[in-house]
mmCIF file of all heavy atoms in Angstrom:
data_model
loop_
_atom_site.group_PDB
_atom_site.id
_atom_site.type_symbol
_atom_site.label_atom_id
_atom_site.label_comp_id
_atom_site.label_asym_id
_atom_site.label_seq_id
_atom_site.Cartn_x
_atom_site.Cartn_y
_atom_site.Cartn_z
ATOM 1 N N TRP Z 935 -26.284 -20.909 -23.624
ATOM 2 C CA TRP Z 935 -26.348 -21.186 -25.074
ATOM 3 C C TRP Z 935 -26.344 -22.688 -25.341
ATOM 4 O O TRP Z 935 -27.145 -23.197 -26.132
ATOM 5 C CB TRP Z 935 -25.160 -20.523 -25.756
ATOM 6 C CG TRP Z 935 -24.951 -20.967 -27.173
ATOM 7 C CD1 TRP Z 935 -25.618 -20.540 -28.280
ATOM 8 C CD2 TRP Z 935 -24.016 -21.963 -27.627
ATOM 9 N NE1 TRP Z 935 -25.164 -21.192 -29.398
ATOM 10 C CE2 TRP Z 935 -24.180 -22.086 -29.034
ATOM 11 C CE3 TRP Z 935 -23.077 -22.770 -26.998
ATOM 12 C CZ2 TRP Z 935 -23.422 -22.967 -29.801
ATOM 13 C CZ3 TRP Z 935 -22.324 -23.628 -27.757
ATOM 14 C CH2 TRP Z 935 -22.498 -23.730 -29.133
ATOM 15 N N GLY Z 936 -25.435 -23.434 -24.657
ATOM 16 C CA GLY Z 936 -25.365 -24.871 -24.871
ATOM 17 C C GLY Z 936 -26.624 -25.586 -24.402
ATOM 18 O O GLY Z 936 -27.092 -26.536 -25.050
ATOM 19 N N SER Z 937 -27.190 -25.136 -23.274
ATOM 20 C CA SER Z 937 -28.417 -25.763 -22.772
ATOM 21 C C SER Z 937 -29.578 -25.570 -23.742
ATOM 22 O O SER Z 937 -30.345 -26.506 -24.022
ATOM 23 C CB SER Z 937 -28.761 -25.179 -21.402
ATOM 24 O OG SER Z 937 -29.965 -25.720 -20.911
ATOM 25 N N ASN Z 938 -29.719 -24.347 -24.259
ATOM 26 C CA ASN Z 938 -30.790 -24.091 -25.221
ATOM 27 C C ASN Z 938 -30.573 -24.866 -26.519
ATOM 28 O O ASN Z 938 -31.524 -25.369 -27.131
ATOM 29 C CB ASN Z 938 -30.874 -22.595 -25.525
ATOM 30 C CG ASN Z 938 -31.381 -21.793 -24.340
ATOM 31 O OD1 ASN Z 938 -32.087 -22.331 -23.475
ATOM 32 N ND2 ASN Z 938 -31.037 -20.515 -24.285
ATOM 33 N N LEU Z 939 -29.310 -24.964 -26.912
ATOM 34 C CA LEU Z 939 -29.006 -25.640 -28.168
ATOM 35 C C LEU Z 939 -29.370 -27.125 -28.106
ATOM 36 O O LEU Z 939 -30.000 -27.661 -29.034
ATOM 37 C CB LEU Z 939 -27.523 -25.466 -28.496
ATOM 38 C CG LEU Z 939 -27.069 -25.932 -29.899
ATOM 39 C CD1 LEU Z 939 -27.718 -25.073 -30.978
ATOM 40 C CD2 LEU Z 939 -25.545 -25.849 -30.012
ATOM 41 N N ILE Z 940 -29.005 -27.774 -27.010
ATOM 42 C CA ILE Z 940 -29.268 -29.211 -26.922
ATOM 43 C C ILE Z 940 -30.744 -29.504 -26.659
ATOM 44 O O ILE Z 940 -31.270 -30.545 -27.069
ATOM 45 C CB ILE Z 940 -28.380 -29.854 -25.842
ATOM 46 C CG1 ILE Z 940 -28.349 -31.377 -26.020
ATOM 47 C CG2 ILE Z 940 -28.857 -29.491 -24.447
ATOM 48 C CD1 ILE Z 940 -27.331 -32.068 -25.159
ATOM 49 N N SER Z 941 -31.439 -28.592 -25.983
ATOM 50 C CA SER Z 941 -32.860 -28.823 -25.706
ATOM 51 C C SER Z 941 -33.721 -28.641 -26.942
ATOM 52 O O SER Z 941 -34.808 -29.222 -27.041
ATOM 53 C CB SER Z 941 -33.330 -27.884 -24.590
ATOM 54 O OG SER Z 941 -33.228 -26.524 -24.999
ATOM 55 N N ARG Z 942 -33.254 -27.844 -27.894
ATOM 56 C CA ARG Z 942 -34.031 -27.586 -29.105
ATOM 57 C C ARG Z 942 -33.680 -28.561 -30.233
ATOM 58 O O ARG Z 942 -34.394 -28.635 -31.234
ATOM 59 C CB ARG Z 942 -33.777 -26.150 -29.579
ATOM 60 C CG ARG Z 942 -34.283 -25.083 -28.614
ATOM 61 C CD ARG Z 942 -33.794 -23.711 -29.013
ATOM 62 N NE ARG Z 942 -34.197 -22.679 -28.042
ATOM 63 C CZ ARG Z 942 -33.753 -21.422 -28.068
ATOM 64 N NH1 ARG Z 942 -32.868 -21.056 -29.020
ATOM 65 N NH2 ARG Z 942 -34.169 -20.563 -27.156
ATOM 66 N N ALA Z 943 -32.572 -29.266 -30.084
ATOM 67 C CA ALA Z 943 -32.139 -30.178 -31.156
ATOM 68 C C ALA Z 943 -32.939 -31.475 -31.105
ATOM 69 O O ALA Z 943 -33.297 -31.961 -30.024
ATOM 70 C CB ALA Z 943 -30.648 -30.475 -31.011
ATOM 71 N N PRO Z 944 -33.231 -32.050 -32.256
ATOM 72 C CA PRO Z 944 -33.901 -33.360 -32.285
ATOM 73 C C PRO Z 944 -33.030 -34.427 -31.627
ATOM 74 O O PRO Z 944 -31.814 -34.292 -31.526
ATOM 75 C CB PRO Z 944 -34.086 -33.626 -33.786
ATOM 76 C CG PRO Z 944 -33.977 -32.289 -34.439
ATOM 77 C CD PRO Z 944 -33.028 -31.499 -33.605
ATOM 78 N N GLU Z 945 -33.648 -35.487 -31.170
ATOM 79 C CA GLU Z 945 -32.935 -36.559 -30.470
ATOM 80 C C GLU Z 945 -31.831 -37.148 -31.333
ATOM 81 O O GLU Z 945 -30.760 -37.517 -30.832
ATOM 82 C CB GLU Z 945 -33.929 -37.651 -30.080
ATOM 83 C CG GLU Z 945 -33.346 -38.762 -29.225
ATOM 84 C CD GLU Z 945 -33.002 -38.295 -27.831
ATOM 85 O OE1 GLU Z 945 -33.644 -37.331 -27.355
ATOM 86 O OE2 GLU Z 945 -32.081 -38.885 -27.224
ATOM 87 N N ALA Z 946 -32.091 -37.227 -32.635
ATOM 88 C CA ALA Z 946 -31.120 -37.848 -33.543
ATOM 89 C C ALA Z 946 -29.855 -36.990 -33.710
ATOM 90 O O ALA Z 946 -28.809 -37.493 -34.122
ATOM 91 C CB ALA Z 946 -31.763 -38.102 -34.902
ATOM 92 N N GLU Z 947 -29.944 -35.705 -33.401
ATOM 93 C CA GLU Z 947 -28.808 -34.799 -33.608
ATOM 94 C C GLU Z 947 -28.078 -34.464 -32.301
ATOM 95 O O GLU Z 947 -27.187 -33.612 -32.298
ATOM 96 C CB GLU Z 947 -29.297 -33.503 -34.265
ATOM 97 C CG GLU Z 947 -29.925 -33.711 -35.638
ATOM 98 C CD GLU Z 947 -30.417 -32.409 -36.238
ATOM 99 O OE1 GLU Z 947 -30.174 -31.341 -35.611
ATOM 100 O OE2 GLU Z 947 -31.027 -32.440 -37.316
ATOM 101 N N HIS Z 948 -28.442 -35.126 -31.223
ATOM 102 C CA HIS Z 948 -27.823 -34.799 -29.934
ATOM 103 C C HIS Z 948 -26.316 -35.041 -29.938
ATOM 104 O O HIS Z 948 -25.556 -34.286 -29.319
ATOM 105 C CB HIS Z 948 -28.490 -35.599 -28.820
ATOM 106 C CG HIS Z 948 -29.727 -34.939 -28.290
ATOM 107 N ND1 HIS Z 948 -30.308 -35.292 -27.087
ATOM 108 C CD2 HIS Z 948 -30.507 -33.945 -28.812
ATOM 109 C CE1 HIS Z 948 -31.391 -34.542 -26.898
ATOM 110 N NE2 HIS Z 948 -31.524 -33.729 -27.928
ATOM 111 N N THR Z 949 -25.863 -36.091 -30.602
ATOM 112 C CA THR Z 949 -24.428 -36.386 -30.631
ATOM 113 C C THR Z 949 -23.659 -35.269 -31.313
ATOM 114 O O THR Z 949 -22.614 -34.808 -30.817
ATOM 115 C CB THR Z 949 -24.162 -37.713 -31.334
ATOM 116 O OG1 THR Z 949 -24.877 -38.756 -30.672
ATOM 117 C CG2 THR Z 949 -22.674 -38.037 -31.337
ATOM 118 N N GLN Z 950 -24.159 -34.811 -32.479
ATOM 119 C CA GLN Z 950 -23.494 -33.725 -33.200
ATOM 120 C C GLN Z 950 -23.521 -32.421 -32.389
ATOM 121 O O GLN Z 950 -22.531 -31.671 -32.356
ATOM 122 C CB GLN Z 950 -24.152 -33.494 -34.561
ATOM 123 C CG GLN Z 950 -23.971 -34.629 -35.561
ATOM 124 C CD GLN Z 950 -25.019 -35.743 -35.355
ATOM 125 O OE1 GLN Z 950 -25.761 -35.758 -34.358
ATOM 126 N NE2 GLN Z 950 -25.069 -36.666 -36.316
ATOM 127 N N VAL Z 951 -24.647 -32.176 -31.726
ATOM 128 C CA VAL Z 951 -24.748 -30.953 -30.921
ATOM 129 C C VAL Z 951 -23.775 -30.991 -29.750
ATOM 130 O O VAL Z 951 -23.114 -29.991 -29.418
ATOM 131 C CB VAL Z 951 -26.200 -30.761 -30.434
ATOM 132 C CG1 VAL Z 951 -26.278 -29.618 -29.412
ATOM 133 C CG2 VAL Z 951 -27.131 -30.491 -31.601
#
Side-chain angles (χ1 to χ4, degrees):
W935 168 80
S937 178
N938 291 335
L939 189 65
I940 196 170
S941 63
R942 295 170 184 171
E945 186 70 27
E947 298 179 5
H948 275 196
T949 302
Q950 293 84 350
V951 171

